[in-house]
């Protein structure tokens, strides 16, 4: 398997919805299920339904593709959500608790960092990855009465973007890379009709060997029934995931709501490797609809 760090340099705002679907409260993580669905949808448009089903079957049977959620990067610094329970050893625990993202080198290479350095990283992140709101007006179709509402998004400085891990079999390398490049033109996330979510990808091979006594979750994860009893968690956080179906091949499937599941969130820590599953949301005569809740794990000492 090849492993890449995929950098997404956005040249338009990004909107990723949250569970409560409020347009003015975007998420600041692009979750792995969203990335997977976007790639599979685009893959089907380029290569067709038959080839896409073969790709899905290869993932289920031979694990030929997996990805993490996407987190911010600034220049050459790749950030991760702080592993739950991760201790820097600072003397000011209240400030330490507030830190959400941390440089990957600090976690995986046990690099020493000062509180000021970590806080400065967070400050850079907030200054160059800015949440914003824009007013919009909707008109009632009958009375033409106007209604103002606000839609939000994330704007990024040119040094800032998002990145994610991608494991890939050489058999599908060129096809998946092409798919992500085309996806950059179409956009990812919501509000794409307004031009949101467009990016240029960069694929950086990552040959580093990661090791440690724990496994940090970098994706959303729902255990398969067969692994529930043997699940060993250290520390974890649960979030709800659902969302809407989009199918370029079926109006009936489009806008259906995925079943809502409680899943483990990024930053959770496990004693042993976990796997998760591709969950079948809907089965139709046109094509099945899957949601990706497989785990992407990073070994490290936590």
């Amino acid at each position: 398997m090849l492993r890449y760090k995929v950098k997404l340099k956005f040249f338009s705002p990004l909107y990723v919805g949250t569970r409560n679907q409020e347009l003015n409260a975007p998420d600041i993580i692009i979750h792995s299920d969203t990335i997977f669905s976007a790639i599979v949808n685009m893959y089907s448009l380029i290569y067709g339904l038959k080839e896409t089903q073969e790709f899905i079957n290869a993932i289920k049977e031979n694990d030929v593709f997996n990805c993490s959620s996407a987190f911010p990067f600034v220049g050459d610094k790749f950030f991760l959500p702080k592993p739950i329970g991760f201790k820097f050893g600072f003397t000011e625990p209240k400030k330490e608790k507030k830190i959400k993202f941390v440089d990957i080198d600090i976690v995986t290479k046990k690099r020493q960092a000062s509180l000021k350095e970590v806080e400065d990283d967070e400050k850079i992140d907030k200054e160059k990855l800015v949440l914003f709101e824009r007013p919009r007006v909707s008109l009632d179709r009958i009375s033409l009465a106007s209604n103002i509402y606000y839609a939000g998004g994330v704007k990024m400085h040119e040094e800032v973007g998002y990145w994610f891990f991608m494991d890939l079999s050489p058999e599908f390398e060129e096809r998946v890379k092409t798919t992500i490049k085309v996806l950059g033109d179409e956009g990812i996330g919501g509000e794409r009709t307004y031009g949101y979510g467009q990016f240029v990808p960069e694929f950086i091979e990552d040959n580093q060997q990661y090791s440690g006594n724990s496994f940090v979750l970098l994706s959303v994860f729902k255990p398969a029934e067969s692994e529930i009893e043997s699940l060993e968690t250290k520390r974890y956080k649960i979030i709800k995931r659902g969302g809407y179906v989009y199918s370029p091949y079926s109006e009936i499937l489009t806008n259906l709501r995925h079943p809502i599941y409680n899943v483990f969130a990024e930053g959770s820590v496990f004693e042993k490797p976990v796997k998760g599953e591709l969950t079948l949301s809907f089965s139709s005569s046109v094509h099945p609809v899957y949601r990706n809740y497989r785990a992407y794990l990073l070994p490290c000492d936590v």
Side-chain angles (χ1 to χ4, degrees), residues 187-255:
I188 189 170
E191 304 288 283
R192 295 193 300 279
T193 53
Y194 295 95
Y196 281 34
Q198 296 175 322
F199 61 84
V200 175
E202 180 184 359
F203 302 93
I204 303 170
E205 278 197 56
D206 182 13
N207 299 314
Q208 185 175 334
Q209 297 298 315
Y210 299 101
S211 62
N213 58 18
S214 301
F215 297 87
V216 177
L217 182 66
L218 298 184
S219 64
V220 290
F221 157 62
K222 182 173 82 65
E225 283 192 20
S226 59
E227 61 183 336
I228 290 176
E229 287 190 6
S230 59
L231 202 62
E232 294 186 25
T233 58
K234 274 192 171 181
R235 292 169 289 274
Y236 62 88
K237 179 183 175 185
I238 300 291
I239 59 172
K240 291 183 184 295
R241 293 296 293 166
Y244 289 90
V245 176
Y246 169 72
S247 169
Y249 298 99
S250 171
E251 291 185 2
I252 295 174
L253 288 173
T254 297
N255 289 329

Side-chain angles (χ1 to χ4, degrees), residues 78-97:
F78 296 88
F79 291 96
L80 297 176
K82 188 180 74 172
I84 298 172
F86 185 81
K87 301 290 184 186
F88 295 94
F90 300 148
T91 55
E92 299 178 72
K94 286 186 179 178
K95 288 186 177 180
E96 188 171 324
K97 272 187 176 179

